[in-house]
Every structure is written in C-alpha cells, then in structure tokens.
Amino acid sequence: MSAAPAAGAAKKVLAKGNEAICHGAVAAGCRFYYGYPITPQNDIPEWMSAHLPALGGSFLQAESEVATINMILGTSSTGNRVMTSSSGPGISLMQEGLSFMVGSQLPAVIVNISRSGPGLGGIAPSQGDYFQATKVAGHGDAHLIVLAPHSVQEMYSLTMLAFDLADKYRNPAMILGDAIVGQMKEPYDPVPYVSPGLPEKTWALTGCKGRASRHVKSMFLTDGAIETHNWKLQDKFREIRRAEVRSEAYMTDGARVGIVAFGTAARVSKTAIQWARKEGIAVGMLRPITLFPFPEKEVRAFAEQVDAILVVEMNTGQMVEDVYRSTTRHDRIHFFGKPCAIPTPDEIFERIRGLAGGKR
Amino acid sequence: MKAAQKTIFSKKVFDRPATLKDARFHYCPGCHHGTIHRIIAECIDRMELRENSVGVAPVGCAVLLYDYMDLDIVEAPHGRAPAIATGIKRALPDRFVFTYQGDGDLASIGMAEIVHAANRGENLSVVFVNNTTYGMTGGQMAPTTLLGQKTSTSPYGRDFRSEGYPIRMAELLAGLEGVAYSTRVTVSSPAHIRKAKEAVRTAFEMQLQGKGFSIVEVLSTCPTNWGMKPLDAQKRVLGEMVEYFPLGVFKERKQADFE
C-alpha cells in the first residue's frame, strides 16, 4: 500500500489508480472518509482506514451505503472536506442522500469505481453508470459534477479538482472510474495541491457562537420558495456548464475519423488511434474529462471537422446520446460498445478502418 | 439586599428560553412536540450549550425544528439523522450534537442507522418522540403502533399475526454495549414533565462527559391522528401506552468506557 506522496515531492509515484485517488484526496485536505466495502474499489477504504487516523482525521466503515452518504452529509455540513467511494449498487443506495446534498447545496467527493450491471451484475469494469452519474444524481432536478479520469495521473489530479469544484459550486462531485483505471498501476507526478482560493464556507454548521444560527436544508415549504430554490440550482448548473467543461483533443489534427470516448474506453482507443495513424489513417479523439458538464461545443465542432464519429463506450450506448444531442450531424455518428467487457484496441482499430474507407 | 429585590414579583421565575425562537408552534392542539421542544431548549440554556450545538432535524411534523430552536441545525432524510449526527460529531467532537426523531423515522426506516450509531457508542444524544403513529403523513401505522390500534393503514386494528408487535426501542437499544443511557419518559403531567426534563439533562450530560450514546424516548400524543380530544390523548398515554411501553431507565453507564 503506497503512502501518500510528501508535499512537493519531485519524484514520480508508482501507485494503483484507487490509491492515487486517496493521495489526491489527502493532498486536497480531505480528512474524513466513510464507506461500505464493495468490489472493485476496496483499495480506497483500506487505504483511508490505514492513513486517516494518523492525519488527525476519521475513517468509519458504515453499516450501509445509505448511512455512508448521510455521514458524508453530516461532515460536509460542518464545512470539512469529506469523501466516499463505492460501485454501482452502492451508488444506487446513496442516491437519496445525494439528492439531499444537491438540494442542501453541500459539497463532497463521491467516487464510483463502477462495475457491470444491472442489479448485482458482475465485477467486470463497465461504464454502464453513465446515465446515473450524469443525469440522475437522485430524485428531483439534481445534477452531480462528474469527472472521468483515464489514467492514474488523473485519478490523483482530478480528485483534487473534484474537491475544488464541489466547494466552489456547493455541489457533490463524482469521480466516475472503473476497475481498470482503479486497479492499474502506473507512475504519476504528484503535483502539489494548490488551493484556487475558494470563498469561505459561511454556511457551515459549527455552533452559532458569536453569530446568528444557520440551517442546512433542502425543504422549502413557503409559497414559491421551492421553485425559487430550483431556479437557483439550475442557474448554478448553467454556470457549471459554461465555465467547467474539460476535454482532451488527442491527435485531432487533420482527422477525418473522430472517436469520442471517456475513461478506460478512451485509454484503449488511444492505442487503436496510434495503430491507425501509423497506417496513415487520419483519426483522432475528443475525450470528455467532464461528463457533466458535457463538452457539447467541442463535440459539435469535432462533428463538423470529421466525416465520421465513432463513440466507444463500455456499455450499450449512453454517452452516445449526449453526442447526438450536441450536434445535428447525426448521420455521422456510429457506436461501438460492450456492457461488461473492455473493447480491445483491435476491435476499435477494425471499426476505425471500416469508417475511414478510402479516406486514408 | 436592596428593598426592591425583596418583593417576590421582581424576580422573573419563568421566561422563554434563549434557545427557543419567538415563534408560534405550528403543532396541533394537545400535541407534545411543543413541550418537548421547550424541555430541550431549557436544558440547552441551563447547560450553556446553545452556541456550541448542532442539531439534526427529522422528517415528519418536527422537520421545522429550525423554525423554533435558535441553533445550527441540519435537515435529515427519512431515518438518517443518526448517520448525519455521526458525520457531524466525527468532524466536530467538541460540539454538542443531538437528533430529534419520531417513531416512523427512528424505529422503521431509520432502524439500521439508530442501532449502529448506538452500537458504535457515538457520543451524541437522541430525543425520540413516540406517539405510535405517523403524524405528518396522516396517521398511518408505525412500528410502535399498539396491538388493536386503528390507523389509516391498519383500519381493522394492528394484528400481530400480520403486522408484528410494537417495538420497544428504549429496551432494544439498552441492550447494546455502546449505549450509555436509555430511558423512557412521558410529558403527560407536570410531574412527568419534570422527570422528562431530568432525563433529557442526564442524556445531554452523558455526551458532555464523553460516556457515549444517549437516548430519551418520550411517549407523546397525536390527538389529531388518534381522533381524540387533547385531554383524552393524555389519558391514553398514561393508560394503554405506559402499560406496553413502561417508563424508566433501562441503562445508565456510570463511567465512560475510555476512562
């Protein structure tokens, strides 16, 4: 189990993706973790249980994911940075609390190292939780901020970013990964955490000494209050959509065939793109790093540039709906996905070759 | 002593506690929430905890706790208050943390959260209001509904053969190692109110002394959903309710586990 890199460490750190999430969380000042074991993310609670007490924090293995998310809600309401991690079925159980946190405007980081479903499904890596992560944080008009790392480096750095975005917008943020990006081990650069200078948490519950008492709540019963509150939340989501889109353009120069993929599917696609480029096929990728907000403008421009878009996902077609939504060039969009297995570079390469046709 | 202070009328003996806001309760006539709120507020005042407290509001009629108590308060989803209180207390171990919960909240949907918070010995206090029904949602059957009691979802009276038995939470929780204090009281007479206040104060003391989890179950009324006049409701509490839910202290830890 790798220790967290010392502040300002110059050397690269060899770690599993799940461990890098812990390193990033601790670097960003997270000292509270609650969770319930579920495969394939158990490295995270195990790491936190070993390291948080010495850092003056608190680790607690909760009795359920339902209790977990409410412990998160409680600690968040005190203004402290707090994180949990789970996988598909556990995230489903957390949705009640997640909706309450969105409604109560409470920040936290929720990690979903997702597995294949529906139901108990299997522990194979999957991206079948895309809809759940990006569309249905829980009941009501609720959204999470969703980040999708595709490397151990990003497991570290996007976790730090997730805490900042959560605090900046007072909204839960999710890291959406899978077993591959969680379990793979590779060196990463432990760039030191730099606070973006966030506003003081003037809403935090700490006891009302020397000030008026405060409430953290999601219920608004007086006439029109819940509508006002909902519009305020939607204004916030609109601002997130405007200001926080992140994506990577990979080998897009002169591309005639474009891939849109995130996380592990994007990582595998990069290999296929390298092979195809060696064969002279002009192919590149637009990789959404933020899934909410979705890089709509970038996808639209990409669809204008290329002749064909191949959306690659480890599911039966979810993000592809956002790609359709982002452009009117629907005839250009093709989908390749597998619900419970990783597409291989060969499979993606074959499809690129098919779409490239004569346009090499 | 100055002459003016000798007259009995110059001394204020009764006032609104600082912890209670100057607001009119929305509760129905004969409902005990107001009395129980006041007991908590008086204890918090007397123990000088107001500026050091974080409360957790429940679902049900008392969700508007923050409209009445001048404290930092967070609102909980159904049954999850003990988990939220756990998260608060872990982050702020030197603050006074309490939850206020009804029977549907604590003994039904939140059974797992209350049992595990109690079993962990979380150093927090719970005020548990048991009126044997779901008040806010319109008087449905609760886990504490008495056998034979008619509710909107047990219209023929609760039958143990199909609905099981009323749960005695104070006794159940007293059986857990992590619990420092578990008691059942009522507020159906002035003498009972005095005892209830002592119980709440003891429960709060337990937390201040770091002795662990404390719970005060308060048998209370719901005249509206019981279809009773307030005075008849008081009689029901002191009659059939006390018969099934005996008053008393079921556990009281003398020393903190970690001493």
Side-chain angles (χ1 to χ4, degrees), chain A residues 30 51 59 179 220 235 254 306 349:
Chain A
C30 172
H51 291 90
F59 166 89
F220 299 87
D235 285 347
V306 298
F349 180 50

Short mmCIF file of all heavy atoms in Angstrom, two decimals, chain A residues 30 51 59 179 220 235 254 306 349:
data_model
loop_
_atom_site.label_atom_id
_atom_site.label_comp_id
_atom_site.label_asym_id
_atom_site.label_seq_id
_atom_site.Cartn_x
_atom_site.Cartn_y
_atom_site.Cartn_z
N CYS A 30 -8.67 16.50 2.45
CA CYS A 30 -9.77 15.64 2.93
C CYS A 30 -9.26 14.80 4.10
O CYS A 30 -8.25 14.11 3.98
CB CYS A 30 -10.26 14.74 1.80
SG CYS A 30 -11.43 13.49 2.35
N HIS A 51 -4.52 5.28 6.87
CA HIS A 51 -3.79 6.56 6.89
C HIS A 51 -4.52 7.73 7.54
O HIS A 51 -3.89 8.66 8.04
CB HIS A 51 -3.38 6.95 5.47
CG HIS A 51 -2.34 6.05 4.88
ND1 HIS A 51 -2.67 4.91 4.17
CD2 HIS A 51 -0.99 6.08 4.94
CE1 HIS A 51 -1.55 4.29 3.80
NE2 HIS A 51 -0.53 4.98 4.25
N PHE A 59 -11.86 7.77 9.85
CA PHE A 59 -12.34 6.77 8.91
C PHE A 59 -13.43 5.98 9.60
O PHE A 59 -13.29 5.63 10.77
CB PHE A 59 -11.23 5.81 8.49
CG PHE A 59 -11.75 4.57 7.81
CD1 PHE A 59 -11.94 4.54 6.44
CD2 PHE A 59 -12.10 3.43 8.54
CE1 PHE A 59 -12.45 3.41 5.81
CE2 PHE A 59 -12.61 2.30 7.91
CZ PHE A 59 -12.79 2.29 6.55
N ALA A 179 -13.00 -0.59 -12.91
CA ALA A 179 -11.99 -1.46 -12.32
C ALA A 179 -10.62 -1.32 -12.98
O ALA A 179 -9.60 -1.47 -12.31
CB ALA A 179 -12.46 -2.91 -12.39
N PHE A 220 -38.36 23.45 1.25
CA PHE A 220 -38.81 24.85 1.19
C PHE A 220 -40.32 24.84 1.00
O PHE A 220 -40.81 24.57 -0.09
CB PHE A 220 -38.11 25.57 0.03
CG PHE A 220 -36.61 25.60 0.18
CD1 PHE A 220 -35.83 24.56 -0.29
CD2 PHE A 220 -35.99 26.65 0.83
CE1 PHE A 220 -34.45 24.57 -0.12
CE2 PHE A 220 -34.61 26.68 0.99
CZ PHE A 220 -33.84 25.63 0.51
N ASP A 235 -29.50 27.76 -12.25
CA ASP A 235 -28.55 28.82 -12.63
C ASP A 235 -27.12 28.35 -12.36
O ASP A 235 -26.19 28.61 -13.13
CB ASP A 235 -28.82 30.10 -11.82
CG ASP A 235 -30.06 30.84 -12.31
OD1 ASP A 235 -30.54 30.49 -13.42
OD2 ASP A 235 -30.56 31.73 -11.60
N GLY A 254 -6.17 17.29 -38.53
CA GLY A 254 -6.46 16.71 -39.84
C GLY A 254 -7.32 15.45 -39.80
O GLY A 254 -7.48 14.77 -40.82
N VAL A 306 -14.86 16.19 -38.82
CA VAL A 306 -14.61 14.83 -39.31
C VAL A 306 -15.75 14.36 -40.23
O VAL A 306 -16.80 14.98 -40.30
CB VAL A 306 -14.45 13.84 -38.13
CG1 VAL A 306 -13.24 14.21 -37.28
CG2 VAL A 306 -15.72 13.80 -37.29
N PHE A 349 -9.74 -0.59 -33.70
CA PHE A 349 -8.96 -0.37 -34.93
C PHE A 349 -9.75 -0.82 -36.15
O PHE A 349 -9.81 -0.12 -37.17
CB PHE A 349 -7.62 -1.11 -34.82
CG PHE A 349 -6.74 -0.97 -36.01
CD1 PHE A 349 -6.47 0.29 -36.56
CD2 PHE A 349 -6.16 -2.08 -36.62
CE1 PHE A 349 -5.64 0.43 -37.66
CE2 PHE A 349 -5.34 -1.95 -37.73
CZ PHE A 349 -5.09 -0.70 -38.24
#
